[in-house]
Amino acid sequence: MPSKVYDTAIIGGGLAGLTLSISLAKQGYSVVLIEKEIYPFHKVCGEYISLESWDFLEKKIGVPLSDMNLPIIKKLWVTSPNGNSLYNDLDLGGFGISRYTLDNTLKNIAEKQGVTVLQNCKAEDIQFKENIFTIKTTQQIYYSKVCCGSWGKRSNFDVKWKRIFTTKTSDRLNNFVGIKYHVKTNFPIDMIALHNFKDGYCGISKIEDDKYCVCYLTKASNIKNAGSIEKAEELILSENPHLKKLFANMERLYQAPVSISQISFSKKKVVENNVLMLGDAAGMITPLCGNGMSMAMHSSKLASISISAFLQNKITIQQLEKTYIKEWKTNFGTRVKTGKFIQYLFGRKSITNVFVMIMNKSKFLTKKIVKLTHGKSF
Ligand SMILES: Cc1cc2nc3c(=O)[nH]c(=O)nc-3n(C[C@H](O)[C@H](O)[C@H](O)COP(=O)(O)OP(=O)(O)OC[C@H]3O[C@@H](n4cnc5c(N)ncnc54)[C@H](O)[C@@H]3O)c2cc1C
């Protein structure tokens, strides 16, 4: 028997992993959180968080959002590749905060709550035998009763376990990349813009201080065919006149953008090899919906309820897995499907031009679509 067995081991310290670790530690459980990077660090993300997460983050997790002077975003501006505009109020809306600040704040709260936070530590192998998980990392071996995978869009485990989305030919061909900058520019503080271009879209909205986040998703072929990120921005993104103006009038706050590749929106299994998947590791909503972060945190809340019942011996590990899968599908199944449909409509130049025209005529349809991709406060 190993000398120390944690109640829960969490692999990946993004929003899903960090909020789960805090929720469990607050209930008195021992938690080890394994993160391969060193906080604080930048992440590719539009950094617009739907307001459905505000109360969870502030009241349940303890992030002092009200004292952080963050922009509240209530207006949506969508443009088609040919430059046509659509404006709408966002019923629920969102707020802006960089992942650099938010993830680091959560890491500090986790440590205060007694979570063992390991940084610069990559998990490399997970085995489940005789009701104990053995997790091999680049630092040591850790043991736990429950193991959660909150390792994001794509990790070494996805490839190692040959998770379906890593082996699909269609996903390899439709390889998406994400690029992000923090910039200074002149833009309304209460608005999020989504500018479409051929095979992609670019968002801009305010975050903390006097900074804005500019983040886009596009097919890798766009960058490859243009020759570089800069060339793609000049030749493809700038075909949309609003993006051309934005790129000409923004001051980049760090030299090279943060980027990621091999993003997949295919279905994923919510539990694999007895590991509960959270956030993007369980399923990814298209960034266009601006709701992945709320889903990641909401999934951590669902997991914490089921894990707690298991750790109190109220349910078996099999019942824990079943309950979590059911809750995940009930809460996020429709949202993920709607997101995929919207991305399909926005993915093509001519369809997007027509779609923006139709949506312009029907505010009701626009509101309905936005609502379908968002959840309620949790
Ligand atoms: C271009 C783009 C724009 C987006 N814009 C928005 C937006 O505006 N609003 C929104 O709500 N959502 C947005 N999203 C989605 C959002 O970023 C994700 O849904 C969210 O970050 C998921 O959180 P997570 O905790 O699941 O994963 P992550 O935040 O990705 O965290 C995963 C962590 O696991 C770590 N890790 C991976 N493998 C290992 C390992 N083996 N060992 C140890 N650590 C490991 C990683 O270093 C990382 O820190 C966007 C996504 C993209 C791609």
Side-chain angles (χ1 to χ4, degrees):
M1 187 73 177
S3 56
K4 167 96 185 160
V5 179
Y6 284 92
D7 288 325
T8 303
I10 301 170
I11 301 171
L15 295 184
L18 284 162
T19 53
L20 176 65
S21 76
I22 296 166
S23 302
L24 290 173
K26 279 189 166 187
Q27 294 172 69
Y29 299 116
S30 60
V31 185
V32 59
L33 179 126
I34 302 162
E35 169 55 52
K36 68 180 169 64
E37 306 291 337
I38 300 172
Y39 300 97
F41 59 98
H42 290 290
K43 245 178 205 169
V44 173
C45 183
E47 302 181 331
Y48 161 92
I49 309 189
S50 147
L51 273 173
E52 72 195 67
S53 298
W54 183 278
D55 283 352
F56 172 75
L57 270 172
E58 188 162 71
K59 294 185 183 150
K60 306 219 169 77
I61 299 296
V63 181
L65 294 175
S66 299
D67 304 333
M68 293 170 89
N69 195 21
L70 300 171
I72 302 294
I73 297 158
K74 285 284 193 183
K75 291 179 181 153
L76 172 69
W77 174 28
V78 181
T79 70
S80 52
N82 62 8
N84 280 344
S85 288
L86 159 82
Y87 295 95
N88 219 308
D89 288 338
L90 290 165
D91 284 343
L92 183 61
F95 62 102
I97 182 169
S98 71
R99 295 298 299 271
Y100 190 86
T101 299
L102 181 57
D103 290 32
N104 193 46
T105 306
L106 289 169
K107 185 271 288 177
N108 291 338
I109 297 174
E111 282 179 335
K112 273 204 190 111
Q113 290 296 332
V115 176
T116 305
V117 179
L118 307 169
Q119 303 183 54
N120 199 14
C121 180
K122 188 173 179 183
E124 292 184 320
D125 189 50
I126 308 168
Q127 298 292 336
F128 183 57
K129 240 189 226 162
E130 290 161 14
N131 291 325
I132 298 284
F133 287 91
T134 302
I135 299 137
K136 201 176 139 216
T137 74
T138 44
Q139 290 181 11
Q140 283 188 41
I141 294 180
Y142 295 90
Y143 303 93
S144 64
K145 296 179 196 161
V146 177
C147 182
C148 298
S150 47
W151 49 62
K153 299 151 203 42
R154 189 184 177 96
S155 89
N156 49 332
F157 286 107
D158 299 323
V159 179
K160 186 172 174 160
W161 292 352
K162 298 191 173 59
R163 293 185 79 197
I164 296 171
F165 66 94
T166 62
T167 57
K168 273 170 88 174
T169 317
S170 57
D171 275 27
R172 279 203 302 274
L173 295 176
N174 276 328
N175 176 11
F176 282 95
V177 294
I179 314 265
K180 180 181 98 170
Y181 302 95
H182 281 168
V183 305
K184 282 193 177 169
T185 189
N186 197 5
F187 188 79
I189 57 173
D190 59 348
M191 180 180 272
I192 177 163
L194 281 174
H195 299 301
N196 289 277
F197 56 90
K198 181 182 150 285
D199 289 335
Y201 44 84
C202 176
I204 169 166
S205 54
K206 190 163 184 308
I207 51 170
E208 69 269 19
D209 306 327
D210 52 353
K211 292 180 281 193
Y212 288 82
C213 175
V214 170
C215 184
Y216 60 89
L217 183 88
T218 185
K219 285 195 176 160
S221 52
N222 253 355
I223 310 279
K224 199 172 159 216
N225 296 342
S228 67
I229 290 176
E230 296 73 34
K231 279 277 168 214
E233 286 169 4
E234 190 189 317
L235 301 173
I236 301 168
L237 278 79
S238 293
E239 273 181 356
N240 180 325
H242 304 286
L243 277 176
K244 187 173 183 176
K245 196 170 157 202
L246 172 67
F247 284 123
N249 292 293
M250 67 187 203
E251 177 198 340
R252 289 170 170 82
L253 296 177
Y254 37 76
Q255 275 290 299
V258 194
S259 64
I260 44 163
S261 62
Q262 294 189 302
I263 305 171
S264 162
F265 302 104
S266 286
K267 217 172 153 187
K268 298 176 180 177
K269 280 193 178 168
V270 179
V271 174
E272 226 157 314
N273 295 331
N274 303 97
V275 175
L276 307 190
M277 303 294 170
L278 274 80
D280 285 356
M284 205 182 154
I285 190 163
T286 50
L288 188 62
C289 305
N291 215 16
M293 290 192 276
S294 288
M295 275 180 50
M297 292 185 270
H298 194 168
S299 70
S300 86
K301 183 178 174 188
L302 300 176
S304 106
I305 295 169
S306 306
I307 291 170
S308 181
F310 167 72
L311 291 171
Q312 289 173 43
N313 295 318
K314 289 182 183 158
I315 56 172
T316 63
I317 191 120
Q318 289 79 16
Q319 286 168 325
L320 160 63
E321 292 177 9
K322 263 196 187 154
T323 321
Y324 178 63
I325 293 172
K326 192 168 160 244
E327 287 291 325
W328 197 96
K329 286 188 178 155
T330 309
N331 281 280
F332 310 123
T334 310
R335 264 198 258 180
V336 172
K337 273 190 205 141
T338 311
K340 259 179 119 168
F341 175 66
I342 300 175
Q343 173 140 305
Y344 171 80
L345 289 177
F346 277 112
R348 286 133 232 260
K349 204 169 155 183
S350 51
I351 299 181
T352 313
N353 288 336
V354 174
F355 189 53
V356 167
M357 209 170 70
I358 293 171
M359 282 174 71
N360 233 333
K361 291 196 174 133
S362 172
K363 296 273 178 216
F364 173 76
L365 179 67
T366 313
K367 275 191 189 301
K368 184 103 192 140
I369 291 173
V370 172
K371 208 170 173 183
L372 271 174
T373 62
H374 283 60
K376 293 194 182 94
S377 210
F378 52 91

